């Protein structure tokens, strides 16, 4: 049996090729998006005088990757359902390209807005305040996942989740009238058996909106990290999640919804939100 017949069986690509090609494509798309990000920062440094360093530090990449994976529960569930109902190599390629470009586009839009507004302190303060409000919402969503199966954990864990959930629910109800005009709604309803281009478009839309939402919440950390490395970490987190989802969707979703991980992540988001509000007060003083 030749190599070509190994990769092809009865005129169709074999399972090995169906695994290797999308993973290779995932890496290529990641590198292309990093190149586009580099070009965007070059343009922003000239047009908005942002002074964003193009140096890459491992700590910034790891921070961006970690935070992305923590906020990726909804996306992981969306991807798993989309893959389940749109099987085959062409569908996998459409989902990979669409979700990667959508996530990166949302990230780069927020980066551009931040670059132009950061020198105007009232506008920067407004952006950080919105980011802090988004973080409170993300924290509550994380606690919803922490409640799933948390009966197996100690009573102090359950009490901590209950108290935080109660407080965040009150906060988010109060700020909901403001956020609903700023943060777009996402239609994550299931789509099955789409052709290549409609599937590509749908796979782009949800990650683009989630990318806008999540990366806007990261604005408070921009003052202490290298934005270029942090954004690369976000792209790398998406690439890693994509690969893991195709290897084992159920196991990947189960890990990102782990109650302990969800609680720790929610506490981190609350801390970042409070830090952002302190920064807003400092800017306006």
């Amino acid at each position: 049996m030749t190599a070509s017949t190994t990769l092809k069986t009865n005129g169709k690509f074999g399972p090995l090729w169906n695994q290797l090609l999308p993973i290779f494509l995932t890496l290529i798309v990641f590198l292309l998006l990093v190149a586009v990000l580099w070009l965007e920062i070059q343009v922003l440094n000239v047009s908005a005088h942002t002074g964003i360093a193009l140096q890459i530090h491992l700590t910034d990449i790891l921070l961006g990757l970690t935070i992305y994976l923590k906020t990726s529960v909804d996306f992981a569930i969306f991807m798993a359902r989309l893959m389940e109902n749109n099987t085959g190599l062409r569908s996998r390629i459409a989902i990979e390209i669409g979700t990667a470009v959508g996530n990166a586009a949302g990230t780069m839009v927020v980066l551009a807005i931040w670059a132009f507004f950061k020198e105007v302190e009232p506008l920067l303060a407004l952006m950080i305040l919105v980011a802090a409000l988004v973080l409170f919402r993300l924290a509550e969503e994380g606690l919803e996942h922490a409640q799933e199966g948390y009966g197996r954990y100690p009573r102090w864990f359950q009490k901590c989740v209950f108290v935080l959930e109660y407080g965040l629910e009150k906060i988010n109800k109060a700020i909901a009238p403001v956020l609903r005009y700023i943060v777009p709604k996402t239609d994550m309803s299931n789509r099955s058996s789409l052709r290549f281009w409609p599937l590509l478009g749908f796979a782009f839309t949800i990650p683009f909106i989630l990318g806008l939402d999540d990366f806007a919440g990261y604005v408070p950390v921009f003052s202490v990290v290298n934005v270029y490395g942090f954004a690369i970490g976000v792209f790398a987190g998406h690439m890693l999640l994509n690969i893991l989802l195709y290897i084992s969707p159920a196991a990947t979703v189960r890990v990102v919804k782990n109650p302990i991980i969800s609680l720790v992540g929610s506490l981190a988001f609350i801390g970042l939100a409070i830090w952002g509000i302190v920064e807003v007060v400092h800017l306006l003083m």
Side-chain angles (χ1 to χ4, degrees), residues 52-63:
I52 299 174
L54 290 169
Q55 300 171 346
I56 299 176
H57 301 290
L58 182 60
T59 52
D60 296 325
I61 294 176
L62 290 176
L63 180 62

Side-chain angles (χ1 to χ4, degrees), residues 19 21 53 56 107 143 169 202-203 207 250 262:
Q19 282 288 82
L21 179 60
I56 299 176
T107 297
L143 288 178
E169 184 181 7
F202 181 66
S262 297

Side-chain angles (χ1 to χ4, degrees), residues 30 36 51 54 68 90-91 103 109 123 168 177 179 223 273:
F30 166 72
V36 173
L54 290 169
Y68 173 83
R90 286 172 59 86
S91 294
N103 174 67
V109 166
L123 292 177
L168 287 169
L179 278 188
S223 60

Side-chain angles (χ1 to χ4, degrees), residues 34-101:
V34 170
V36 173
L37 175 66
W38 179 88
L39 181 61
E40 181 193 25
I41 291 176
Q42 291 277 32
V43 172
L44 291 175
N45 281 343
V46 173
S47 58
H49 307 289
T50 53
I52 299 174
L54 290 169
Q55 300 171 346
I56 299 176
H57 301 290
L58 182 60
T59 52
D60 296 325
I61 294 176
L62 290 176
L63 180 62
L65 186 149
T66 302
I67 292 181
Y68 173 83
L69 291 177
K70 173 59 195 75
T71 60
S72 64
V73 176
D74 290 340
F75 174 73
I77 296 171
F78 162 75
M79 275 279 290
R81 290 173 179 168
L82 198 61
M83 292 186 303
E84 182 181 3
N85 291 282
N86 294 273
T87 58
L89 183 60
R90 286 172 59 86
S91 294
R92 181 168 177 178
I93 291 173
I95 293 170
E96 156 54 26
I97 295 176
T99 56
V101 174

